[in-house]
Amino acid sequence: MARKFLYVMAGLVVLAIAGMFAYRIWGVDLMRMAMTPSETFQAQPLVASKAYDARKMWLSRPDVPNDPARWVPAGEKPGKPGTGAAIFFVHPTSYLSRAHWNAPLDDAEANDRAALFLRGQASAFNAAGEIWAPRYRQATFGAFLTSADEADKALALAYGDVAAAFDSFLGQIDAKRSIILAGHSQGSIHLLQLLRERIATDAKLKKRIVAAYIVGWPISRTTDLPALGLPECETADQAGCILSWQSFGEPADPSLITDQYDRSTGFDGDVRAGTPMVCTNPITGTPNATAAKSENLGTLFPSSDLKTAEMRAGEVGARCGERGFLLIDNPPNLGSYVLPGNNYHVYDYSLFWANIRTDVARRLASFTRK
């Protein structure tokens, strides 16, 4: 099941941001005991898409004051509002509490953590247009540590909010405006479902997609990609395609991921075992590529409070390995949040922030010319 795999990535990123190292110390069993909600799943009414017409339902939107997604490092500027594409960004897990299976929309702590994600991740897109990042009743971290039916229900509830937000998003932007999809971890899994259910089945909507950045989540080229409605990006200026990567320092041990991946079932019903994953090198914007650190235009080195960062060029090179993991050479010291197996999941965006920014601009320019 997706959640059994998701805790390896989406769950650990939450622990990392919170400054916790429970995974290394306790292991999964003790974490499950400590963090899985004890309450019975409480069914909640669906959120109507019109609810997302209100500004308060968004962490980032063109009219949100002090929008965290508008942050930029020194030397960069966000784009002019009203220009470029409309970017729909779904943030990763930021709710740690075991009090509920799903985060309340007004949970201050979870929303503060989500704002950190928007500064370090969604900000890479802000030169290309306006970012729309919804609050949603995300599944709590503990939902990814159990096979209980409640966990499936929690993920379904979270996706329902994302889908409602997307419908409102479409209604609030120009009907012909170009769209960029982006997310990370739990955000990426919801975007995958959105691609399958909404983009792949709507020819007019599909034509508006500049690119989909499905980062920090595996996509099998064999069993998943054909169901998503968009192809893998093959060239650096291709539009209407999907990018995905998962970052590891060398020497890498991705067994925590591959063990679950190889036991899981793809979107076509076949097992994923042994199938290659989509691996886009964000430095080059092409699949299965190798890039020297001199080609890296800028990595974000976060401050101790994670609220700002310094950008440095030429620090990190990367190559796509055999299974489809993005392997970085001479891993930099970005902080204390590198995960077991030399997993740089927390830094999937910040490692290549400036190159992602360039990639988005290049694909948008190509899309606009067409």
Side-chain angles (χ1 to χ4, degrees):
M1 300 296 291
R3 64 174 179 274
K4 294 179 181 177
F5 172 63
L6 186 60
Y7 76 76
V8 175
M9 296 181 297
L12 286 179
V13 67
V14 179
L15 293 180
I17 292 299
M20 300 170 65
F21 299 94
Y23 187 91
R24 296 182 181 184
I25 298 171
W26 295 342
V28 174
D29 290 338
L30 286 178
M31 274 206 299
R32 182 179 298 116
M33 293 172 60
M35 305 196 74
T36 301
S38 57
E39 71 167 7
T40 301
F41 177 82
Q42 302 295 315
Q44 301 179 48
L46 295 176
V47 173
S49 62
K50 65 180 181 181
Y52 279 95
D53 293 349
R55 185 175 66 182
K56 67 180 182 179
M57 294 293 286
W58 299 85
L59 292 163
S60 177
R61 201 174 81 160
D63 58 351
V64 169
N66 302 314
D67 186 341
R70 298 281 292 171
W71 176 88
V72 289
E76 298 288 334
K77 293 182 179 180
K80 183 180 179 181
T83 62
I87 299 106
F88 186 75
F89 187 92
V90 187
H91 70 78
T93 310
S94 62
Y95 184 60
L96 277 66
S97 175
R98 66 191 300 265
H100 305 291
W101 284 97
N102 292 87
L105 289 173
D106 60 355
D107 186 281
E109 189 174 357
N111 287 331
D112 286 345
R113 290 196 191 99
L116 291 178
F117 287 123
L118 296 184
R119 288 189 191 97
Q121 298 178 347
S123 61
F125 299 90
N126 65 28
E130 297 166 349
I131 297 168
W132 297 65
R135 303 176 191 270
Y136 68 103
R137 291 172 292 182
Q138 60 186 280
T140 187
F141 166 62
F144 307 121
L145 301 176
T146 177
S147 59
D149 290 342
E150 283 87 350
D152 279 333
K153 295 174 182 178
L155 283 170
L157 179 66
Y159 173 71
D161 284 3
V162 171
F166 185 68
D167 285 339
S168 176
F169 162 78
L170 291 177
Q172 294 186 70
I173 64 174
D174 186 275
K176 295 183 179 180
R177 195 170 184 186
S178 55
I179 296 169
I180 296 169
L181 301 175
H184 191 250
S185 256
Q186 182 176 170
S188 286
I189 195 173
H190 295 315
L191 285 179
L192 284 172
Q193 188 169 352
L194 196 72
L195 283 166
R196 293 164 61 197
E197 296 185 358
R198 298 296 310 281
I199 309 303
T201 60
D202 188 331
K204 290 184 178 180
L205 184 56
K206 181 163 59 175
K207 289 181 179 179
R208 296 170 62 186
I209 305 299
V210 176
Y213 293 78
I214 311 299
V215 182
W217 181 259
I219 303 173
S220 168
R221 286 192 172 114
T222 306
T223 68
D224 295 335
L225 194 60
L228 300 180
L230 299 176
E232 177 181 1
C233 293
E234 298 289 344
T235 64
D237 62 352
Q238 181 180 350
C241 56
I242 294 172
L243 303 86
S244 181
W245 64 89
Q246 303 165 82
S247 309
F248 277 79
E250 295 195 85
D253 178 11
S255 58
L256 284 171
I257 294 176
T258 55
D259 288 350
Q260 294 293 339
Y261 177 85
D262 288 340
R263 287 196 290 266
S264 64
T265 301
F267 299 145
D268 65 356
D270 289 338
V271 295
R272 293 187 175 106
T275 61
M277 303 172 192
V278 173
C279 181
T280 311
N281 189 324
I283 297 178
T284 65
T286 55
N288 304 327
T290 298
K293 64 181 182 180
S294 59
E295 299 175 72
N296 191 319
L297 301 177
T299 296
L300 294 183
F301 285 76
S303 61
S304 58
D305 61 4
L306 304 179
K307 292 184 178 181
T308 188
E310 174 190 3
M311 190 168 70
R312 304 177 198 168
E315 294 282 344
V316 182
R319 66 181 180 88
C320 286
E322 290 183 6
R323 283 302 301 271
F325 293 103
L326 185 67
L327 306 177
I328 58 176
D329 55 19
N330 299 316
N333 181 13
L334 298 179
S336 304
Y337 307 132
V338 178
L339 307 179
N342 222 2
N343 187 345
Y344 274 70
H345 177 72
V346 176
Y347 307 106
D348 279 329
Y349 275 92
S350 57
L351 281 163
F352 315 104
W353 191 91
N355 287 84
I356 296 168
R357 197 169 181 82
T358 298
D359 185 274
V360 176
R362 187 169 52 226
R363 295 187 196 280
L364 180 58
S366 178
F367 180 90
T368 302
R369 285 195 299 271
K370 291 181 180 179

